[in-house]
Amino acid sequence: MGLTPPLAKTTPSPDSGLTRPPTPSSAGSMAAPTPDLWALLPPYKLRALAQAWLEEDAPAPDPASLAVGRAPRRAELLCKSEGVLAGAPFAEAAWVETGCRVTWRVTDGSPLPPGRTVVAEVEGPAAGLLLAERVALNCLGRCSGVATAAARAVTVARGAGWWGTVAGTRKTTPGFRLAEKYALAVGGADPHRYGLGGLLLLKDNHLLAARAPLEQVVGAARGAGGFTRRLAVECGSAAEAVTAANAGADIVLLDNFTPQALHAAAAAAKAARPGVTVEASGGIGLETLPHFLGPHVDVVSMGCLTHGAAALDFALRVLAGDGDDDDEGTA
């Protein structure tokens, strides 16, 4: 999931109708190729999301479309911020719905330098280019912001000599979760769970609502979840962490601990059950992240990677024909 160099060409995806950037080759290098994260996104899901976003933005005919018509036009897609590019599958899906084709010059995961960078060229009917413009730019700006935040967090962790997992959380934007989870992965972070159907998590409110001993609640959840699901238990003290580990929790979640208390509780949980995974979360930001990294902490989950990420600035510029002025779109 590391950064990949910019590529000048794209190759078509026959099963989706989209234009997918090629996976960088590892020829001549011992390094493994960067995973093609686009392949994780079902084409039908991309189409459904694009259709829903376009319906929200343009629920009725746009009179401005009549002014530009359906004559073929080309446009450059520009990024005006420094960061990491992400969101190409979602932006392209929106333009494909309006009859356009996108040729990517920069792949998701690539670093974007300061200043203006041409990341793609979009071709299609003028009305289609402009109808999907804002949806596509919003997807790119938001996803690239999340990927940039994730990449910075991973850089901080690795710079501190910690090689555990930096992860996101379920603190995502309603209706945009898949895109934000994808962006986390592009930035090198773990997306964490996509919803309540994967990891079985007992949070503090589950334990309070159950009104039963922790061991009993863990046993009941384990029986209901089946043998295929991992079980995580949120703990508020070192004693709870040890109890949860001994009760069979796969993951002990230490939420809202101070760094000193976190490392003590993590060490206690590992001593009780060496194979348990210790996850830290709760208000951890880039500035404080190094304080939460330690030998007994396996995962650090950061909600700020999604809910606090600043969007990158993208723009679409329709290319001028003979005798036309070259103006930048501002939709």
PDB file of all heavy atoms in Angstrom, residues 243-276:
ATOM      1  N   THR A 243      -8.813  -9.436  32.580  1.00  0.00           N
ATOM      2  CA  THR A 243     -10.003 -10.298  32.632  1.00  0.00           C
ATOM      3  C   THR A 243     -10.471 -10.654  31.232  1.00  0.00           C
ATOM      4  O   THR A 243     -10.794 -11.812  30.942  1.00  0.00           O
ATOM      5  CB  THR A 243     -11.141  -9.604  33.400  1.00  0.00           C
ATOM      6  OG1 THR A 243     -10.712  -9.329  34.733  1.00  0.00           O
ATOM      7  CG2 THR A 243     -12.376 -10.483  33.442  1.00  0.00           C
ATOM      8  N   ALA A 244     -10.517  -9.672  30.338  1.00  0.00           N
ATOM      9  CA  ALA A 244     -10.961  -9.918  28.968  1.00  0.00           C
ATOM     10  C   ALA A 244     -10.015 -10.862  28.250  1.00  0.00           C
ATOM     11  O   ALA A 244     -10.443 -11.769  27.522  1.00  0.00           O
ATOM     12  CB  ALA A 244     -11.067  -8.604  28.211  1.00  0.00           C
ATOM     13  N   ALA A 245      -8.723 -10.673  28.444  1.00  0.00           N
ATOM     14  CA  ALA A 245      -7.737 -11.547  27.804  1.00  0.00           C
ATOM     15  C   ALA A 245      -7.894 -12.978  28.296  1.00  0.00           C
ATOM     16  O   ALA A 245      -7.898 -13.933  27.502  1.00  0.00           O
ATOM     17  CB  ALA A 245      -6.334 -11.027  28.075  1.00  0.00           C
ATOM     18  N   ASN A 246      -8.052 -13.139  29.590  1.00  0.00           N
ATOM     19  CA  ASN A 246      -8.211 -14.485  30.153  1.00  0.00           C
ATOM     20  C   ASN A 246      -9.537 -15.122  29.756  1.00  0.00           C
ATOM     21  O   ASN A 246      -9.648 -16.356  29.698  1.00  0.00           O
ATOM     22  CB  ASN A 246      -8.103 -14.425  31.683  1.00  0.00           C
ATOM     23  CG  ASN A 246      -6.686 -14.204  32.170  1.00  0.00           C
ATOM     24  OD1 ASN A 246      -5.725 -14.620  31.507  1.00  0.00           O
ATOM     25  ND2 ASN A 246      -6.525 -13.559  33.321  1.00  0.00           N
ATOM     26  N   ALA A 247     -10.547 -14.283  29.467  1.00  0.00           N
ATOM     27  CA  ALA A 247     -11.861 -14.804  29.083  1.00  0.00           C
ATOM     28  C   ALA A 247     -11.901 -15.233  27.625  1.00  0.00           C
ATOM     29  O   ALA A 247     -12.893 -15.824  27.187  1.00  0.00           O
ATOM     30  CB  ALA A 247     -12.935 -13.762  29.347  1.00  0.00           C
ATOM     31  N   GLY A 248     -10.863 -14.942  26.866  1.00  0.00           N
ATOM     32  CA  GLY A 248     -10.810 -15.412  25.485  1.00  0.00           C
ATOM     33  C   GLY A 248     -10.955 -14.343  24.428  1.00  0.00           C
ATOM     34  O   GLY A 248     -11.125 -14.662  23.246  1.00  0.00           O
ATOM     35  N   ALA A 249     -10.867 -13.059  24.809  1.00  0.00           N
ATOM     36  CA  ALA A 249     -10.923 -12.004  23.802  1.00  0.00           C
ATOM     37  C   ALA A 249      -9.710 -12.109  22.877  1.00  0.00           C
ATOM     38  O   ALA A 249      -8.588 -12.334  23.330  1.00  0.00           O
ATOM     39  CB  ALA A 249     -10.957 -10.634  24.465  1.00  0.00           C
ATOM     40  N   ASP A 250      -9.942 -11.947  21.589  1.00  0.00           N
ATOM     41  CA  ASP A 250      -8.832 -11.941  20.631  1.00  0.00           C
ATOM     42  C   ASP A 250      -8.112 -10.602  20.640  1.00  0.00           C
ATOM     43  O   ASP A 250      -6.903 -10.532  20.402  1.00  0.00           O
ATOM     44  CB  ASP A 250      -9.359 -12.219  19.214  1.00  0.00           C
ATOM     45  CG  ASP A 250     -10.049 -13.562  19.111  1.00  0.00           C
ATOM     46  OD1 ASP A 250      -9.390 -14.572  19.328  1.00  0.00           O
ATOM     47  OD2 ASP A 250     -11.267 -13.569  18.818  1.00  0.00           O
ATOM     48  N   ILE A 251      -8.888  -9.528  20.885  1.00  0.00           N
ATOM     49  CA  ILE A 251      -8.350  -8.172  20.877  1.00  0.00           C
ATOM     50  C   ILE A 251      -8.813  -7.459  22.142  1.00  0.00           C
ATOM     51  O   ILE A 251      -9.999  -7.504  22.489  1.00  0.00           O
ATOM     52  CB  ILE A 251      -8.834  -7.390  19.643  1.00  0.00           C
ATOM     53  CG1 ILE A 251      -8.442  -8.119  18.357  1.00  0.00           C
ATOM     54  CG2 ILE A 251      -8.287  -5.970  19.645  1.00  0.00           C
ATOM     55  CD1 ILE A 251      -9.105  -7.571  17.113  1.00  0.00           C
ATOM     56  N   VAL A 252      -7.893  -6.838  22.825  1.00  0.00           N
ATOM     57  CA  VAL A 252      -8.224  -5.999  23.968  1.00  0.00           C
ATOM     58  C   VAL A 252      -8.092  -4.545  23.514  1.00  0.00           C
ATOM     59  O   VAL A 252      -7.011  -4.108  23.112  1.00  0.00           O
ATOM     60  CB  VAL A 252      -7.288  -6.286  25.153  1.00  0.00           C
ATOM     61  CG1 VAL A 252      -7.488  -5.238  26.241  1.00  0.00           C
ATOM     62  CG2 VAL A 252      -7.538  -7.683  25.704  1.00  0.00           C
ATOM     63  N   LEU A 253      -9.192  -3.817  23.547  1.00  0.00           N
ATOM     64  CA  LEU A 253      -9.227  -2.429  23.107  1.00  0.00           C
ATOM     65  C   LEU A 253      -9.109  -1.519  24.322  1.00  0.00           C
ATOM     66  O   LEU A 253      -9.987  -1.493  25.185  1.00  0.00           O
ATOM     67  CB  LEU A 253     -10.533  -2.145  22.359  1.00  0.00           C
ATOM     68  CG  LEU A 253     -10.809  -0.692  21.979  1.00  0.00           C
ATOM     69  CD1 LEU A 253      -9.704  -0.136  21.088  1.00  0.00           C
ATOM     70  CD2 LEU A 253     -12.166  -0.563  21.296  1.00  0.00           C
ATOM     71  N   LEU A 254      -8.008  -0.782  24.386  1.00  0.00           N
ATOM     72  CA  LEU A 254      -7.768   0.150  25.482  1.00  0.00           C
ATOM     73  C   LEU A 254      -8.112   1.543  24.987  1.00  0.00           C
ATOM     74  O   LEU A 254      -7.356   2.156  24.241  1.00  0.00           O
ATOM     75  CB  LEU A 254      -6.307   0.058  25.929  1.00  0.00           C
ATOM     76  CG  LEU A 254      -5.850  -1.364  26.336  1.00  0.00           C
ATOM     77  CD1 LEU A 254      -4.376  -1.366  26.707  1.00  0.00           C
ATOM     78  CD2 LEU A 254      -6.703  -1.896  27.481  1.00  0.00           C
ATOM     79  N   ASP A 255      -9.272   2.040  25.394  1.00  0.00           N
ATOM     80  CA  ASP A 255      -9.820   3.283  24.852  1.00  0.00           C
ATOM     81  C   ASP A 255      -9.697   4.417  25.855  1.00  0.00           C
ATOM     82  O   ASP A 255     -10.044   4.264  27.036  1.00  0.00           O
ATOM     83  CB  ASP A 255     -11.295   3.062  24.485  1.00  0.00           C
ATOM     84  CG  ASP A 255     -11.856   4.191  23.652  1.00  0.00           C
ATOM     85  OD1 ASP A 255     -11.135   4.690  22.768  1.00  0.00           O
ATOM     86  OD2 ASP A 255     -13.017   4.578  23.878  1.00  0.00           O
ATOM     87  N   ASN A 256      -9.202   5.563  25.372  1.00  0.00           N
ATOM     88  CA  ASN A 256      -9.109   6.782  26.176  1.00  0.00           C
ATOM     89  C   ASN A 256      -8.216   6.628  27.403  1.00  0.00           C
ATOM     90  O   ASN A 256      -8.512   7.167  28.478  1.00  0.00           O
ATOM     91  CB  ASN A 256     -10.506   7.258  26.590  1.00  0.00           C
ATOM     92  CG  ASN A 256     -11.317   7.764  25.409  1.00  0.00           C
ATOM     93  OD1 ASN A 256     -10.828   8.527  24.587  1.00  0.00           O
ATOM     94  ND2 ASN A 256     -12.562   7.308  25.308  1.00  0.00           N
ATOM     95  N   PHE A 257      -7.130   5.903  27.264  1.00  0.00           N
ATOM     96  CA  PHE A 257      -6.120   5.785  28.314  1.00  0.00           C
ATOM     97  C   PHE A 257      -5.082   6.896  28.139  1.00  0.00           C
ATOM     98  O   PHE A 257      -4.815   7.347  27.025  1.00  0.00           O
ATOM     99  CB  PHE A 257      -5.402   4.438  28.217  1.00  0.00           C
ATOM    100  CG  PHE A 257      -6.133   3.280  28.833  1.00  0.00           C
ATOM    101  CD1 PHE A 257      -7.373   2.879  28.357  1.00  0.00           C
ATOM    102  CD2 PHE A 257      -5.578   2.572  29.897  1.00  0.00           C
ATOM    103  CE1 PHE A 257      -8.037   1.800  28.905  1.00  0.00           C
ATOM    104  CE2 PHE A 257      -6.230   1.497  30.459  1.00  0.00           C
ATOM    105  CZ  PHE A 257      -7.467   1.107  29.974  1.00  0.00           C
ATOM    106  N   THR A 258      -4.480   7.313  29.236  1.00  0.00           N
ATOM    107  CA  THR A 258      -3.287   8.143  29.123  1.00  0.00           C
ATOM    108  C   THR A 258      -2.158   7.241  28.629  1.00  0.00           C
ATOM    109  O   THR A 258      -2.211   6.015  28.792  1.00  0.00           O
ATOM    110  CB  THR A 258      -2.897   8.739  30.473  1.00  0.00           C
ATOM    111  OG1 THR A 258      -2.519   7.683  31.366  1.00  0.00           O
ATOM    112  CG2 THR A 258      -4.047   9.547  31.067  1.00  0.00           C
ATOM    113  N   PRO A 259      -1.126   7.809  28.014  1.00  0.00           N
ATOM    114  CA  PRO A 259      -0.035   6.955  27.537  1.00  0.00           C
ATOM    115  C   PRO A 259       0.561   6.068  28.626  1.00  0.00           C
ATOM    116  O   PRO A 259       0.814   4.885  28.404  1.00  0.00           O
ATOM    117  CB  PRO A 259       0.986   7.975  27.013  1.00  0.00           C
ATOM    118  CG  PRO A 259       0.156   9.135  26.583  1.00  0.00           C
ATOM    119  CD  PRO A 259      -0.950   9.214  27.585  1.00  0.00           C
ATOM    120  N   GLN A 260       0.788   6.619  29.823  1.00  0.00           N
ATOM    121  CA  GLN A 260       1.380   5.827  30.896  1.00  0.00           C
ATOM    122  C   GLN A 260       0.472   4.674  31.303  1.00  0.00           C
ATOM    123  O   GLN A 260       0.917   3.526  31.444  1.00  0.00           O
ATOM    124  CB  GLN A 260       1.661   6.726  32.106  1.00  0.00           C
ATOM    125  CG  GLN A 260       2.341   5.996  33.263  1.00  0.00           C
ATOM    126  CD  GLN A 260       2.655   6.929  34.428  1.00  0.00           C
ATOM    127  OE1 GLN A 260       2.316   8.115  34.400  1.00  0.00           O
ATOM    128  NE2 GLN A 260       3.312   6.400  35.453  1.00  0.00           N
ATOM    129  N   ALA A 261      -0.825   4.962  31.472  1.00  0.00           N
ATOM    130  CA  ALA A 261      -1.769   3.907  31.845  1.00  0.00           C
ATOM    131  C   ALA A 261      -1.921   2.889  30.721  1.00  0.00           C
ATOM    132  O   ALA A 261      -2.084   1.683  30.976  1.00  0.00           O
ATOM    133  CB  ALA A 261      -3.120   4.522  32.195  1.00  0.00           C
ATOM    134  N   LEU A 262      -1.883   3.365  29.480  1.00  0.00           N
ATOM    135  CA  LEU A 262      -2.004   2.464  28.334  1.00  0.00           C
ATOM    136  C   LEU A 262      -0.894   1.423  28.325  1.00  0.00           C
ATOM    137  O   LEU A 262      -1.151   0.220  28.196  1.00  0.00           O
ATOM    138  CB  LEU A 262      -1.965   3.272  27.036  1.00  0.00           C
ATOM    139  CG  LEU A 262      -1.778   2.448  25.759  1.00  0.00           C
ATOM    140  CD1 LEU A 262      -3.054   1.693  25.412  1.00  0.00           C
ATOM    141  CD2 LEU A 262      -1.347   3.337  24.597  1.00  0.00           C
ATOM    142  N   HIS A 263       0.336   1.863  28.462  1.00  0.00           N
ATOM    143  CA  HIS A 263       1.456   0.935  28.358  1.00  0.00           C
ATOM    144  C   HIS A 263       1.459  -0.059  29.518  1.00  0.00           C
ATOM    145  O   HIS A 263       1.818  -1.224  29.338  1.00  0.00           O
ATOM    146  CB  HIS A 263       2.765   1.715  28.291  1.00  0.00           C
ATOM    147  CG  HIS A 263       2.872   2.564  27.054  1.00  0.00           C
ATOM    148  ND1 HIS A 263       2.698   2.048  25.789  1.00  0.00           N
ATOM    149  CD2 HIS A 263       3.097   3.902  26.891  1.00  0.00           C
ATOM    150  CE1 HIS A 263       2.836   3.016  24.896  1.00  0.00           C
ATOM    151  NE2 HIS A 263       3.066   4.148  25.545  1.00  0.00           N
ATOM    152  N   ALA A 264       1.032   0.384  30.707  1.00  0.00           N
ATOM    153  CA  ALA A 264       0.946  -0.530  31.847  1.00  0.00           C
ATOM    154  C   ALA A 264      -0.142  -1.576  31.613  1.00  0.00           C
ATOM    155  O   ALA A 264       0.062  -2.775  31.866  1.00  0.00           O
ATOM    156  CB  ALA A 264       0.673   0.261  33.126  1.00  0.00           C
ATOM    157  N   ALA A 265      -1.303  -1.147  31.128  1.00  0.00           N
ATOM    158  CA  ALA A 265      -2.397  -2.087  30.877  1.00  0.00           C
ATOM    159  C   ALA A 265      -2.050  -3.042  29.749  1.00  0.00           C
ATOM    160  O   ALA A 265      -2.391  -4.238  29.787  1.00  0.00           O
ATOM    161  CB  ALA A 265      -3.675  -1.320  30.545  1.00  0.00           C
ATOM    162  N   ALA A 266      -1.390  -2.534  28.705  1.00  0.00           N
ATOM    163  CA  ALA A 266      -0.992  -3.393  27.589  1.00  0.00           C
ATOM    164  C   ALA A 266      -0.020  -4.462  28.043  1.00  0.00           C
ATOM    165  O   ALA A 266      -0.138  -5.637  27.653  1.00  0.00           O
ATOM    166  CB  ALA A 266      -0.367  -2.541  26.484  1.00  0.00           C
ATOM    167  N   ALA A 267       0.932  -4.080  28.882  1.00  0.00           N
ATOM    168  CA  ALA A 267       1.898  -5.053  29.395  1.00  0.00           C
ATOM    169  C   ALA A 267       1.204  -6.109  30.250  1.00  0.00           C
ATOM    170  O   ALA A 267       1.535  -7.308  30.171  1.00  0.00           O
ATOM    171  CB  ALA A 267       2.975  -4.328  30.202  1.00  0.00           C
ATOM    172  N   ALA A 268       0.228  -5.688  31.047  1.00  0.00           N
ATOM    173  CA  ALA A 268      -0.496  -6.637  31.896  1.00  0.00           C
ATOM    174  C   ALA A 268      -1.305  -7.622  31.056  1.00  0.00           C
ATOM    175  O   ALA A 268      -1.347  -8.827  31.348  1.00  0.00           O
ATOM    176  CB  ALA A 268      -1.414  -5.875  32.853  1.00  0.00           C
ATOM    177  N   ALA A 269      -1.965  -7.128  30.003  1.00  0.00           N
ATOM    178  CA  ALA A 269      -2.755  -8.008  29.141  1.00  0.00           C
ATOM    179  C   ALA A 269      -1.862  -9.015  28.425  1.00  0.00           C
ATOM    180  O   ALA A 269      -2.202 -10.199  28.306  1.00  0.00           O
ATOM    181  CB  ALA A 269      -3.540  -7.171  28.131  1.00  0.00           C
ATOM    182  N   LYS A 270      -0.713  -8.573  27.962  1.00  0.00           N
ATOM    183  CA  LYS A 270       0.220  -9.465  27.265  1.00  0.00           C
ATOM    184  C   LYS A 270       0.793 -10.503  28.223  1.00  0.00           C
ATOM    185  O   LYS A 270       1.031 -11.655  27.840  1.00  0.00           O
ATOM    186  CB  LYS A 270       1.351  -8.655  26.642  1.00  0.00           C
ATOM    187  CG  LYS A 270       0.943  -7.807  25.451  1.00  0.00           C
ATOM    188  CD  LYS A 270       0.744  -8.638  24.195  1.00  0.00           C
ATOM    189  CE  LYS A 270       0.585  -7.747  22.975  1.00  0.00           C
ATOM    190  NZ  LYS A 270       0.417  -8.525  21.725  1.00  0.00           N
ATOM    191  N   ALA A 271       1.032 -10.102  29.474  1.00  0.00           N
ATOM    192  CA  ALA A 271       1.544 -11.050  30.460  1.00  0.00           C
ATOM    193  C   ALA A 271       0.505 -12.129  30.768  1.00  0.00           C
ATOM    194  O   ALA A 271       0.839 -13.301  30.960  1.00  0.00           O
ATOM    195  CB  ALA A 271       1.939 -10.306  31.734  1.00  0.00           C
ATOM    196  N   ALA A 272      -0.773 -11.715  30.797  1.00  0.00           N
ATOM    197  CA  ALA A 272      -1.841 -12.674  31.073  1.00  0.00           C
ATOM    198  C   ALA A 272      -2.051 -13.635  29.909  1.00  0.00           C
ATOM    199  O   ALA A 272      -2.304 -14.826  30.099  1.00  0.00           O
ATOM    200  CB  ALA A 272      -3.138 -11.936  31.387  1.00  0.00           C
ATOM    201  N   ARG A 273      -1.956 -13.105  28.687  1.00  0.00           N
ATOM    202  CA  ARG A 273      -2.164 -13.924  27.491  1.00  0.00           C
ATOM    203  C   ARG A 273      -1.299 -13.347  26.375  1.00  0.00           C
ATOM    204  O   ARG A 273      -1.720 -12.430  25.679  1.00  0.00           O
ATOM    205  CB  ARG A 273      -3.634 -13.915  27.099  1.00  0.00           C
ATOM    206  CG  ARG A 273      -3.962 -14.862  25.958  1.00  0.00           C
ATOM    207  CD  ARG A 273      -5.461 -15.131  25.898  1.00  0.00           C
ATOM    208  NE  ARG A 273      -5.824 -15.733  24.643  1.00  0.00           N
ATOM    209  CZ  ARG A 273      -6.720 -15.240  23.784  1.00  0.00           C
ATOM    210  NH1 ARG A 273      -7.357 -14.127  24.085  1.00  0.00           N
ATOM    211  NH2 ARG A 273      -6.993 -15.857  22.672  1.00  0.00           N
ATOM    212  N   PRO A 274      -0.115 -13.886  26.182  1.00  0.00           N
ATOM    213  CA  PRO A 274       0.836 -13.303  25.224  1.00  0.00           C
ATOM    214  C   PRO A 274       0.299 -13.160  23.809  1.00  0.00           C
ATOM    215  O   PRO A 274       0.714 -12.255  23.078  1.00  0.00           O
ATOM    216  CB  PRO A 274       2.019 -14.279  25.277  1.00  0.00           C
ATOM    217  CG  PRO A 274       1.938 -14.884  26.640  1.00  0.00           C
ATOM    218  CD  PRO A 274       0.470 -15.010  26.928  1.00  0.00           C
ATOM    219  N   GLY A 275      -0.626 -14.006  23.394  1.00  0.00           N
ATOM    220  CA  GLY A 275      -1.111 -13.963  22.023  1.00  0.00           C
ATOM    221  C   GLY A 275      -2.206 -12.953  21.772  1.00  0.00           C
ATOM    222  O   GLY A 275      -2.632 -12.777  20.623  1.00  0.00           O
ATOM    223  N   VAL A 276      -2.690 -12.253  22.805  1.00  0.00           N
ATOM    224  CA  VAL A 276      -3.773 -11.303  22.616  1.00  0.00           C
ATOM    225  C   VAL A 276      -3.263 -10.074  21.864  1.00  0.00           C
ATOM    226  O   VAL A 276      -2.114  -9.660  22.017  1.00  0.00           O
ATOM    227  CB  VAL A 276      -4.390 -10.888  23.973  1.00  0.00           C
ATOM    228  CG1 VAL A 276      -3.458  -9.968  24.746  1.00  0.00           C
ATOM    229  CG2 VAL A 276      -5.753 -10.244  23.786  1.00  0.00           C
TER     230      VAL A 276
END
